[in-house]
Amino acid sequence: MFGKFSRRHFAKLAGLSALGIAAAPADAAAQPASDRPAPASFPKDFVWGTATSAYQIEGAVNEDGRGRSIWDTFSHTLGKIEDGTSGDRANEHYHRYKEDIGLIKGLGARAYRFSIAWPRVFPEGTGKPNPKGLDFYDRLVDELLKNGIEPYGTLYHWDLPQTLEDKVGGWRSSETSKAFGDYAGHVAARLSDRVRSIFTINEAGRFVNFGYGWGIDAPGLKLPDADVNQVRHHVALAHGLAVQAIRAHGRAGTRVGPAENIAACVPAFDTPENVRAAETATRELNSGFLGVILEGKYTDGFLRFAGKNAPKFTADELKIISQPNDFVGLNIYAPQFYIAASDKPPGWSVLPFPASFPHMNSEWLRVGPETIYWAPRLAAKVWNIETIYISENGTSSEDKLRADGQVYDLDRIMYLRNYLRQLQRATSEGVPVRGYFLWSLMDNFEWIYGYEKRFGLYHVDFETQRRTPKLSVAFYRDVVARNAIGV
């Protein structure tokens, strides 16, 4: 369940200390070399940011009227979280937010993507809002703006109010879609005077399949395929209703769009035939969520493949789902499918991953820098998208504090350097990526892995809550400062 696989072990090389050479402090990497090659620049108005989510960092789960979420319940169920922990305390961000905003400012980043906890705003999911529900986010947003950081809000990062799961079956019911629309309108009315960009739903592709299909994430259900497809449809409907509500109740000019972990299709290698095949595969393999949002219909291929398990829907629902978006967020970590052209229907084939394919500290996180070039390029072509944000990208690492108090996350720097060079390649060719949010600002509660997987730029000691910059902080600060990526 937790991805524990055996690996070959390599003999450890002697450290620099064995030679009497002291390691350099983390910030030393920020010093420019006189013979440094010319960097590859991003567009001058490119948005550099970082990202987090409410349940993973806030803690304070029983404070100021917050209700329970499905992740509160799930994380307290024996055997569901690898290290037996929960988000009850997490990073104590609810009380340490000013300190954490200081970390963002220290990066030089000018944008921050955070999520709002639905159970803080509507403890029962619907009905009467909690008077204190948005007070924390008011303070957070004001502090961000005070520090010159633009807030990007996310309405749903998996923390569904438990009452909705209990009363109507959560996302199994369109009642939850309607409740989400009401919640979105309430948040927009309160915050859109300062939060000008709002992501609706984060990673339907993850929480639908993992939570309702495979039982891995909250609420831990293993439903038949027909029910899973219906759940996904209700989530798409919720997105559409939220867009309508934000347009109706938010300030004029408020921008809105989804943030989805696109089924990333990469041509096996760059030939016209493989690229065309990858375009077709991108459309078909994302029809269940991104496709129906951006096209207002499910593809014939999707419906044919689903057969009797296809979702039930009305023409009116499709109109709601396909409300115009101002941008599309793509969460891109790893290649999901390598695609080759085929002379057999449907004209493309998915290639198997060899066992030796490289991956990062997380087994699922295969290293494919070209993914962040191809995924937005193909998405923009297939759906004629004008504005794309990389709403998440990053990696876990071993992230050990060394004797000198430093964290030398060279593997994360390797990963980011290569991915960002491919992203720069995309923007230089006119792919409409307008910004990048690095996941994550700091180590946090990493869902089923608890606190064992660390994705942060800042190391967190979860006993003392001390935040320590990793070497990647200096790397990312340099990228942001130059708006460019070196070699």
Side-chain angles (χ1 to χ4, degrees):
M1 176 177 177
F2 301 116
K4 291 184 177 178
F5 301 98
S6 62
R7 302 184 187 179
R8 295 181 180 179
H9 297 280
F10 296 90
K12 293 183 178 179
L13 298 175
L16 290 174
S17 58
L19 301 176
I21 302 173
D27 277 353
Q31 301 301 316
S34 59
D35 59 348
R36 199 171 194 175
S41 296
F42 287 83
K44 66 177 183 178
D45 56 350
F46 196 78
V47 174
W48 293 103
T50 186
T52 62
S53 86
Y55 187 73
Q56 291 180 274
I57 66 169
E58 283 183 3
V61 297
N62 297 312
E63 295 187 35
D64 293 333
R66 177 188 179 275
R68 286 183 66 79
S69 78
I70 57 174
W71 270 97
D72 293 303
T73 301
F74 189 77
S75 64
H76 282 269
T77 303
L78 185 65
K80 297 299 185 181
I81 309 302
E82 183 173 11
D83 61 3
T85 61
S86 72
D88 287 2
R89 185 185 179 202
N91 298 55
E92 295 183 351
H93 176 72
Y94 193 76
H95 298 292
R96 296 173 180 263
Y97 69 93
K98 290 187 178 180
E99 174 188 354
D100 294 335
I101 289 171
L103 302 181
I104 303 170
K105 188 174 184 178
L107 292 170
R110 300 300 298 272
Y112 175 52
R113 179 177 172 238
F114 64 97
S115 81
I116 296 161
W118 187 352
R120 288 201 190 279
V121 183
F122 287 92
E124 304 298 316
T126 187
K128 185 178 180 180
N130 172 25
K132 295 185 177 180
L134 287 172
D135 288 354
F136 167 68
Y137 302 103
D138 267 328
R139 298 191 298 271
L140 176 71
V141 167
D142 287 346
E143 188 69 15
L144 287 167
L145 294 172
K146 177 182 173 182
N147 284 275
I149 300 166
E150 183 177 359
Y152 286 69
T154 301
L155 293 174
Y156 186 75
H157 200 127
W158 310 356
D159 45 1
L160 180 74
Q162 181 64 46
T163 302
L164 283 175
E165 185 67 32
D166 294 340
K167 288 185 175 180
V168 301
W171 292 111
R172 286 170 283 178
S173 170
S174 61
E175 291 302 310
T176 296
S177 310
K178 296 172 185 176
F180 184 72
D182 293 340
Y183 156 64
H186 181 75
V187 172
R190 177 79 170 265
L191 296 182
S192 64
D193 60 328
R194 288 155 292 153
V195 180
R196 308 300 292 159
S197 301
I198 299 175
F199 293 93
T200 55
I201 291 170
N202 185 77
E203 289 195 0
R206 162 76 187 253
F207 76 80
V208 170
N209 292 327
F210 280 56
Y212 289 87
W214 303 331
I216 296 172
D217 284 353
L221 302 178
K222 297 180 180 180
L223 302 178
D225 288 346
D227 292 347
V228 174
N229 285 332
Q230 197 65 46
V231 163
R232 188 180 297 106
H233 177 76
H234 291 153
V235 174
L237 179 61
H239 162 81
L241 290 168
V243 173
Q244 287 184 330
I246 292 167
R247 303 273 191 237
H249 300 285
R251 294 293 182 95
T254 303
R255 304 187 313 143
V256 61
E260 178 63 348
N261 56 329
I262 184 172
C265 298
V266 178
F269 49 92
D270 189 351
T271 64
E273 297 79 12
N274 286 339
V275 172
R276 285 194 297 270
E279 288 175 2
T280 304
T282 294
R283 180 171 183 253
E284 293 295 341
L285 294 174
N286 289 284
S287 180
F289 189 72
L290 265 184
V292 71
I293 286 173
L294 298 173
E295 297 183 43
K297 65 179 181 179
Y298 294 105
T299 65
D300 293 340
F302 172 83
L303 294 174
R304 185 167 53 250
F305 179 81
K308 62 185 176 72
N309 295 321
K312 295 177 174 60
F313 56 88
T314 67
D316 285 343
E317 287 176 339
L318 293 181
K319 289 179 181 178
I320 294 170
I321 288 169
S322 58
Q323 295 295 302
N325 296 279
D326 299 293
F327 56 79
V328 173
L330 300 180
N331 294 359
I332 299 173
Y333 291 90
Q336 289 176 275
F337 303 103
Y338 280 95
I339 302 296
S342 172
D343 56 4
K344 299 178 181 179
W348 49 274
S349 60
V350 175
L351 304 183
F353 282 94
S356 58
F357 200 97
H359 60 80
M360 298 301 292
N361 177 260
S362 296
E363 297 282 348
W364 60 268
L365 213 168
R366 300 184 179 103
V367 183
E370 64 275 15
T371 311
I372 209 168
Y373 168 82
W374 285 107
R377 172 180 157 174
L378 296 176
K381 173 73 178 302
V382 169
W383 295 299
N384 194 30
I385 306 171
E386 296 183 357
T387 299
I388 293 173
Y389 291 102
I390 304 302
S391 36
E392 289 183 24
N393 171 250
T395 182
S396 61
S397 174
E398 181 188 36
D399 291 343
K400 296 289 187 182
L401 273 171
R402 303 301 175 181
D404 60 0
Q406 301 289 335
V407 178
Y408 299 104
D409 54 340
L410 293 170
D411 52 349
R412 179 174 287 108
I413 292 174
M414 174 277 296
Y415 175 95
L416 293 174
R417 179 190 297 117
N418 284 283
Y419 273 69
L420 288 174
R421 282 196 66 82
Q422 288 289 327
L423 184 60
Q424 188 278 330
R425 175 190 171 200
T427 59
S428 72
E429 294 179 8
V431 178
V433 178
R434 312 301 183 194
Y436 171 90
F437 293 86
L438 196 154
W439 187 273
S440 177
L441 173 64
M442 55 187 166
D443 299 336
N444 52 43
F445 178 79
E446 187 52 38
W447 308 112
I448 61 171
Y449 298 103
Y451 297 95
E452 296 302 312
K453 294 295 182 185
R454 294 177 175 269
F455 277 79
L457 289 169
Y458 290 89
H459 179 276
V460 178
D461 181 324
F462 292 103
E463 293 298 320
T464 66
Q465 293 294 338
R466 181 182 178 185
R467 281 78 156 135
T468 300
K470 303 174 187 177
L471 186 62
S472 54
V473 164
F475 168 81
Y476 192 50
R477 183 190 300 131
D478 181 63
V479 170
V480 172
R482 295 191 298 155
N483 194 37
I485 181 71
V487 295

